[in-house]
């Protein structure tokens, strides 16, 4: 069962520190991560009792030689062609996991779109607008943050585009 708290004290993961410093309303959901679960995102949705359409995964892709963050529902997959188009690129491929970890400062399965070591261009799937709140990684496996999509888009300077596939 997920634990909830209204505010995370400064000194937590960089994602929650960034939210606190920005004065953004958010809820932290913690759960016991099971390393044998086949999907980090689906595990989060199940553990929190939240629809997979409201839980978004953070993926790092290489678009024409530059890293870009894609935030899409865990219930689907990333459309690489649509991601490239959203940032004015031609080709996109998933980034090397080690490079994604070094660049963002987070480990795979715990990459947050917030509080990254190096701020990367971000694209948020347009389906996020259909929800009052969405959940994204708070910066480590077993920790999610719930916030309004408009707040996530604002804090990450995200472009909203249809980049997810069901």
């Amino acid at each position: 069962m997920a634990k909830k708290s209204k505010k995370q004290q400064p000194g937590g993961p960089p994602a929650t520190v960034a939210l606190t410093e920005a004065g953004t309303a958010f809820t932290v959901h913690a759960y016991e991560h099971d390393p044998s679960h086949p999907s980090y995102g689906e595990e989060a949705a199940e553990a929190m009792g939240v629809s997979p359409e409201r839980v978004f995964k953070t993926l790092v892709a290489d678009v024409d030689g530059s890293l870009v963050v894609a935030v899409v529902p865990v219930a689907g997959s990333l459309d690489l062609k649509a991601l490239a188009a959203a940032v004015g690129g031609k080709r996109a491929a998933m980034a090397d996991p080690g490079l994604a970890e070094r660049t963002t400062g987070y480990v795979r399965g715990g990459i947050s779109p917030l509080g990254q070591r190096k701020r990367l261009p971000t694209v948020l799937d347009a389906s996020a607008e259909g929800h009052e709140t969405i959940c994204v990684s708070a910066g480590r496996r077993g920790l999610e943050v719930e916030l309004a999509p408009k707040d996530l888009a604002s804090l990450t300077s995200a472009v909203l585009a249809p980049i997810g596939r069901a």
Side-chain angles (χ1 to χ4, degrees):
M1 190 70 182
K3 297 179 217 164
K4 292 184 179 184
S5 66
K6 276 292 172 200
K7 288 283 183 179
Q8 178 84 4
Q9 293 301 316
T16 59
V17 170
L19 287 164
T20 300
E21 288 176 353
T24 302
F26 66 98
T27 302
V28 172
H29 297 272
Y31 60 92
E32 194 64 40
H33 167 62
D34 176 3
S36 68
H37 200 288
S39 167
Y40 298 120
E42 289 175 12
E43 175 192 26
E46 291 167 11
M48 295 185 301
V50 174
S51 164
E53 288 77 23
R54 282 190 47 229
V55 179
F56 283 62
K57 56 188 169 188
T58 306
L59 303 170
V60 181
D62 179 314
V63 178
D64 298 335
S66 297
L67 295 181
V68 174
V69 171
V71 185
V72 296
V74 302
S77 61
L78 172 62
D79 181 336
L80 288 165
K81 191 172 186 176
L83 175 65
V87 295
K90 293 182 182 179
R91 290 186 175 201
M94 294 307 297
D96 172 75
L99 179 60
E101 289 178 347
R102 287 188 303 277
T103 304
T104 64
Y106 294 117
V107 298
R108 198 175 115 205
I111 294 178
S112 178
L114 299 157
Q116 295 179 355
R117 183 177 290 150
K118 179 180 179 190
R119 191 170 177 155
L120 298 171
T122 301
V123 181
L124 174 60
D125 185 64
S127 69
E129 292 181 300
H131 305 288
E132 188 176 320
T133 61
I134 61 171
C135 298
V136 296
S137 176
R140 68 176 179 251
R141 297 170 190 150
L143 195 66
E144 294 279 313
V145 65
E146 182 177 352
L147 73 165
K150 67 177 177 44
D151 290 337
L152 178 63
S154 175
L155 290 169
T156 60
S157 302
V159 170
L160 272 82
I163 60 168
R165 278 191 268 192

